Amino acid sequence: MKLVIAVINRDDANAVSQALVKGGFSSTRLATTGGFLMAGNVTLMIGVEEANVEEVIDIIKTRSHSRKQFIPSTVELGHGHFPGAPVEVTVGGATIFVVDVERFEHV
Ligand code: 2BA
């Protein structure tokens, strides 16, 4: 068994969750915060048989979209830090980890 851990943009999370349910996959949804932008995102934990990992990843890929976001920046000008031009970053689609599950019990 594998555990798929997927960090997903908040705006895509409902579509991904619904598609997983439709595909017959169970998931747990955690409200998380990205360490860089400090913006809310959603992390899904999905326990699946190894044979189904690609199907799960395909579902996530299909429903997750990348977005451009501007973040404020600062420049150092000798006397301190001053506001600079905003910097564009591309966020997502999704960040996906697949890890081995040593033991799975559902009691
Ligand atoms: P954040 O950490 O808030 O990152 C949001 C976006 O900011 C990233 O998009 C990336 O484009 C940019 N970014 C992140 N760290 C950066 C840095 N040190 N310098 C410049 N730009 C940086 P994504 O790569 O699509 O990541 C989206 C979210 O997925 C992340 O939100 C984080 O919550 C998670 N994530 C990404 N990579 C991860 C990793 N290696 N481990 C754990 N979580 C990760």
Side-chain angles (χ1 to χ4, degrees):
M1 185 170 217
K2 300 279 184 181
L3 181 66
V4 179
I5 303 169
V7 185
I8 295 166
N9 192 294
R10 249 195 319 208
D11 295 338
D12 294 327
N14 285 351
V16 173
S17 295
Q18 284 164 18
L20 287 169
V21 169
K22 212 169 172 185
F25 299 107
S26 297
S27 67
T28 294
R29 181 176 168 144
L30 307 170
T32 47
T33 304
F36 186 69
L37 295 182
M38 297 295 177
N41 50 32
V42 169
T43 298
L44 293 177
M45 296 195 304
I46 310 140
V48 282
E49 293 305 326
E50 193 164 354
N52 293 325
V53 167
E54 290 311 316
E55 189 182 346
V56 165
I57 289 175
D58 280 347
I59 289 172
I60 297 168
K61 270 187 193 164
T62 310
R63 303 292 195 292
S64 303
H65 306 287
S66 65
R67 293 168 173 81
K68 300 222 182 285
Q69 249 176 276
F70 287 92
I71 55 169
S73 70
T74 56
V75 286
E76 198 179 341
L77 292 175
H79 304 294
H81 289 80
F82 298 90
V87 176
E88 186 181 78
V89 291
T90 303
V91 185
T95 303
I96 302 171
F97 305 86
V98 180
V99 297
D100 288 326
V101 174
E102 195 171 313
R103 179 171 165 169
F104 172 73
E105 300 275 354
H106 194 206
V107 293

